[in-house]
């Protein structure tokens, strides 16, 4: 059985992982925001508390959105 570390190392060294272009990063951020809006709508409908955590919370406070070099969105729920 492969460990998580082995899987990550194989992926990183496969040559298929590359940095995102600026255009790809913009599209990814737009998609993440759309997904989060839909998740938020469901959470509100069922009275589930959703909130930002980690770098996403920091970016929202410090940058008014994403951290410029970040390409993920961290959220958590409390129910």
């Amino acid at each position: 059985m492969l460990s998580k570390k082995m899987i990550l190392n194989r992926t990183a060294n496969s040559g298929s992982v590359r940095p995102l272009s600026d255009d790809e990063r913009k599209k990814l951020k737009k998609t993440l925001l759309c997904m989060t809006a839909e998740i938020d709508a469901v959470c509100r409908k069922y009275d589930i508390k959703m909130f930002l955590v980690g770098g996403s919370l920091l970016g929202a406070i410090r940058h008014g959105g994403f951290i410029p070099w970040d390409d993920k969105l961290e959220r958590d729920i409390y129910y």
Side-chain angles (χ1 to χ4, degrees):
M1 182 172 200
L2 294 174
S3 70
K4 289 179 185 177
K5 183 176 180 181
M6 290 172 65
I7 293 169
L8 290 172
N9 282 335
R10 269 193 193 170
T11 303
N13 295 320
S14 70
S16 62
V17 177
R18 61 172 176 71
L20 296 174
S21 69
D22 288 341
D23 188 49
E24 290 171 322
R25 191 177 306 276
K26 286 177 187 176
K27 288 178 182 177
L28 175 60
K29 288 179 179 182
K30 185 176 180 179
T31 300
L32 289 170
L33 286 174
C34 289
M35 289 171 54
T36 300
E38 290 193 27
I39 293 168
D40 182 57
V42 172
C43 287
R44 288 175 188 270
K45 179 178 179 179
Y46 294 101
D47 198 30
I48 298 171
K49 309 293 187 251
M50 183 181 75
F51 50 94
L52 297 176
V53 295
S56 296
L57 178 60
L58 177 65
I61 293 169
R62 190 168 66 184
H63 299 278
F66 284 93
I67 294 175
W69 55 88
D70 204 0
D71 58 5
K72 61 189 177 309
L73 200 148
E74 299 114 345
R75 56 198 172 278
D76 210 340
I77 59 171
Y78 175 80
Y79 58 97

